[in-house]
Amino acid sequence: MKRRALFLDRDGVVNEERDYVHRAEDVHFTEGVFDVCRAFQGAGYLIVVITNQSGIGRGYYTEEDFQRLNEWMKGEFAGRGVTVDGIYFCPHHPEEGVGRYRTYCQCRKPAPGMLLEASDDLDIDLEGSVLVGDKESDIEAGLRAGVGRNYLFRTNSQAEGEKTRATKTLESLGDLLKERDLFDK
């Protein structure tokens, strides 16, 4: 039986956006992220992180650095009662990538590849799922994959009234908890 998922972009949603975060000491979790994840997990959603990581492709850090951070991050979530069911990433960049990482791919958002791969791997009902991103490319990826609800988490870098195709714009992650119909079985 297919399950719903809460898809979260990493930089800007799970943690504050900073230049190419790849070390635990540089991670500052976004206010409310653990509460939101616990509520969705309690309602039967899988928790899945989807993230463009062009810092790998640009040579700023390695895939091994990224995986070490993932393990640490999953431990931080687990310590707060949340299981991260999957982390999907795209290391590519079409212009700035180095070597094999310089490519146009189907995994780099706004392409839907990471969402489709997670759906196949984890047997996810995309239409019944929710995505939260902080960029329009996140929203576009969700729409292309067929994710039912796509929320834009407004950060300081976005202007009020900026055009979006999102289901709704969130001023805080906690606002997602007010969407009571998301928790209906």
Side-chain angles (χ1 to χ4, degrees):
M1 184 170 138
K2 290 190 178 278
R3 292 180 63 192
R4 300 179 295 182
L6 172 62
F7 291 105
L8 300 170
D9 176 49
R10 195 191 80 178
D11 300 314
V13 176
V14 170
N15 56 271
E16 293 175 8
E17 178 79 48
R18 295 171 186 255
D19 288 337
Y20 303 102
V21 171
H22 63 280
R23 299 178 313 172
E25 57 266 26
D26 296 329
V27 173
H28 297 274
F29 290 108
T30 303
E31 185 178 336
V33 69
F34 300 113
D35 294 334
V36 166
C37 289
R38 274 193 299 275
F40 274 82
Q41 186 175 290
Y45 286 80
L46 299 171
I47 306 299
V48 180
V49 176
I50 53 164
T51 178
N52 286 347
Q53 289 294 311
S54 71
I56 295 168
R58 295 169 194 249
Y60 299 160
Y61 51 94
T62 66
E63 288 191 46
E64 292 76 18
D65 294 331
F66 176 73
Q67 293 302 346
R68 268 192 300 280
L69 182 62
N70 287 346
E71 291 308 311
W72 174 83
M73 193 173 283
K74 288 195 293 191
E76 292 295 305
F77 272 81
R80 290 166 175 89
V82 177
T83 299
V84 175
D85 298 288
I87 298 176
Y88 293 81
F89 73 103
C90 174
H92 308 113
H93 194 283
E95 292 96 27
E96 307 283 330
V98 177
R100 67 184 174 101
Y101 295 114
R102 184 180 184 136
T103 186
Y104 288 91
C105 62
Q106 288 304 305
C107 56
R108 182 172 174 78
K109 296 178 284 181
M114 287 185 277
L115 294 157
L116 298 174
E117 182 181 357
S119 176
D120 289 345
D121 290 350
L122 302 172
D123 202 26
I124 293 172
D125 167 17
L126 290 169
E127 176 61 31
S129 293
V130 174
L131 177 142
V132 181
D134 68 324
K135 294 180 176 65
E136 198 61 30
S137 59
D138 299 319
I139 303 307
E140 187 63 31
L143 292 170
R144 289 181 185 181
V147 174
R149 300 272 192 97
N150 298 276
Y151 292 87
L152 181 66
F153 176 45
R154 184 177 307 284
T155 61
N156 293 335
S157 64
Q158 297 161 327
E160 185 83 30
E162 189 174 312
K163 188 170 174 91
T164 182
R165 293 181 61 202
T167 304
K168 193 172 189 178
T169 300
L170 305 171
E171 298 298 326
S172 76
L173 287 181
D175 289 346
L176 197 57
L177 299 176
K178 298 174 187 172
E179 301 288 308
R180 298 309 310 162
D181 63 317
L182 296 176
F183 300 98
D184 296 338
K185 301 272 181 192

